[in-house]
Amino acid sequence: DDLGGEKEVPITFNVTNPGINLTVTNKQENIIFKTATNFNVAMKKDYYSGAYDYIVEQIPAGSGRVTIDGVAYSGGTAAVTNPANLRIGFTPTVEGRVSLKITIKDKVGGEVAETYDFNVTNPAIAVNVTGHKSDANVNIPTTFNFAVSKPNYSGGFTAKIVTDPTNTGTIKLNNSAHTGTAVALQANNTVVFTPTTAGAIVLKILVSDNLGGEKEIAIPFTVENPAIEVTITNKESSVLYKSTTTFNASISKANYSGKFNYRISTSPAAAGAITVGGKAHTGNYTEVSAPAGLQIGFTPVIEGYVSLLLEIEDETGNKTEKTLDFNVTNPAVNLTINNSGTD
């Protein structure tokens, strides 16, 4: 007071720094590998209207790509633009359990950290095959179809197809020749396989998506090369020396519409003249013009047992032989003498 008196009275305050409250919306726990997910974080603090900063950490580090408010985030402390809606985007690049740790700081020493977990999966590719028949024939095209799908995925697919063993047939995929290089698929795909060898053959189809997913399926075939059938009609077993005998050969093969070639030889060699369809046969392989009725003529020029060897081949490499035996005779000349006298 004015007389020099003093009195000190302590005034006590309990000063607190309220916590920062975070509210998360639109977050999904189960997300897809290499597919963006977005969620929102709002922050609020009682009696505080100042600015905030954020830090986002990936656990494990480098497990994906992060965007903040649509802009790529590479780490470190950055200012929150809108505390009512911090938009966070995350595109995982690894599978399994990953987390984002988000730390929010204010300008008066307040800080809060929350960890948000994600289960990242890369769903399996599904391949649905229809119209496949495992039984096939050499050089006869066989067709089947397949469609590809993947849950929660809207990207494209590619596929490559190979034969096992290699070089055992030709492949067409969606009407284009396929050489084993990955090509884009359609919603429904058609494969035409033409085997060129007999035996067990597997088509391996490897399907890939844009997320690194792969699916291989095996399409088995049992490929047959049916035998060439030759039927001989009108053949004589006994023929006359230097007299022409004619017979017919009918050539067929199950499930085959290609060409046949023939060659005919004699045993012993040069045992006679051969005609086919009325024309002299040279002994070289010649295309069969009428497989249902090959007319063969043979004029033997030696006596005794003679054989013709009929060889038939098709375009698949199949061959067959038919041996045709003849007994060639030269009947004795009968001489009759009339009115013969002894003098």
Side-chain angles (χ1 to χ4, degrees):
D1 57 19
D2 293 340
L3 302 178
E6 292 181 348
K7 177 68 174 181
E8 180 180 282
V9 179
I11 307 297
T12 302
F13 296 92
N14 182 23
V15 180
T16 61
N17 191 356
I20 303 170
N21 296 313
L22 302 183
T23 301
V24 176
T25 56
N26 302 318
K27 177 189 172 294
Q28 295 177 311
E29 183 173 358
N30 297 315
I31 59 176
I32 305 300
F33 175 71
K34 288 189 177 179
T35 301
T37 184
N38 298 279
F39 60 98
N40 306 82
V41 177
M43 57 210 71
K44 187 177 180 181
K45 179 175 180 176
D46 293 340
Y47 312 110
Y48 180 76
S49 58
Y52 297 92
D53 293 325
Y54 66 85
I55 301 172
V56 180
E57 300 172 81
Q58 300 179 39
I59 304 171
S63 55
R65 297 184 295 273
V66 176
T67 62
I68 304 294
D69 295 329
V71 178
Y73 172 75
S74 57
T77 301
V80 174
T81 302
N82 180 8
N85 186 15
L86 182 67
R87 294 181 292 115
I88 301 176
F90 179 51
T91 303
T93 54
V94 298
E95 298 180 55
R97 195 73 170 173
V98 299
S99 303
L100 292 183
K101 180 182 179 182
I102 300 175
T103 302
I104 303 295
K105 299 180 179 181
D106 60 25
K107 300 300 182 180
V108 294
E111 179 178 323
V112 65
E114 293 286 350
T115 299
Y116 303 103
D117 298 323
F118 300 91
N119 183 33
V120 183
T121 59
N122 191 358
I125 298 170
V127 181
N128 182 36
V129 178
T130 57
H132 166 242
K133 295 180 179 179
S134 59
D135 293 332
N137 290 294
V138 170
N139 280 4
I140 305 298
T142 182
T143 302
F144 64 91
N145 302 285
F146 71 95
V148 181
S149 61
K150 180 173 181 173
N152 303 312
Y153 176 75
S154 59
F157 297 96
T158 62
K160 59 182 179 180
I161 309 174
V162 297
T163 61
D164 183 17
T166 59
N167 301 319
T168 50
T170 61
I171 301 168
K172 281 189 176 182
L173 175 59
N174 297 328
N175 295 318
S176 296
H178 184 70
T179 59
T181 301
V183 296
L185 292 178
Q186 303 173 1
N188 293 288
N189 306 275
T190 300
V191 177
V192 179
F193 174 53
T194 305
T196 54
T197 60
I201 299 175
V202 176
L203 288 192
K204 294 183 177 179
I205 304 177
L206 179 62
V207 178
S208 304
D209 61 29
N210 297 334
L211 304 180
E214 292 185 341
K215 175 75 171 183
E216 182 176 282
I217 62 169
I219 309 296
F221 292 93
T222 300
V223 182
E224 295 183 351
N225 194 357
I228 301 170
E229 302 291 338
V230 179
T231 302
I232 304 297
T233 56
N234 303 321
K235 175 189 170 292
E236 299 176 293
S237 297
S238 298
V239 296
L240 296 177
Y241 173 76
K242 289 190 177 181
S243 294
T244 300
T245 183
T246 303
F247 58 94
N248 300 89
S250 176
I251 305 167
S252 63
K253 178 177 177 176
N255 302 312
Y256 179 75
S257 58
K259 299 176 181 179
F260 297 100
N261 293 321
Y262 70 90
R263 180 172 67 182
I264 309 173
S265 58
T266 66
S267 177
I274 301 169
T275 62
V276 178
K279 297 181 180 180
H281 178 58
T282 62
N284 298 320
Y285 272 111
T286 306
E287 182 181 332
V288 177
S289 58
L294 188 69
Q295 187 181 65
I296 301 171
F298 175 51
T299 306
V301 295
I302 63 173
E303 299 177 52
Y305 287 98
V306 176
S307 298
L308 293 186
L309 179 63
L310 173 61
E311 300 174 85
I312 306 293
E313 65 177 12
D314 62 25
E315 294 178 305
T316 71
N318 251 12
K319 293 184 179 182
T320 191
E321 296 179 351
K322 201 82 169 179
T323 300
L324 308 169
D325 297 322
F326 299 90
N327 181 22
V328 182
T329 59
N330 189 357
V333 177
N334 294 319
L335 179 63
T336 302
I337 300 176
N338 297 316
N339 302 316
S340 172
T342 57
D343 293 331

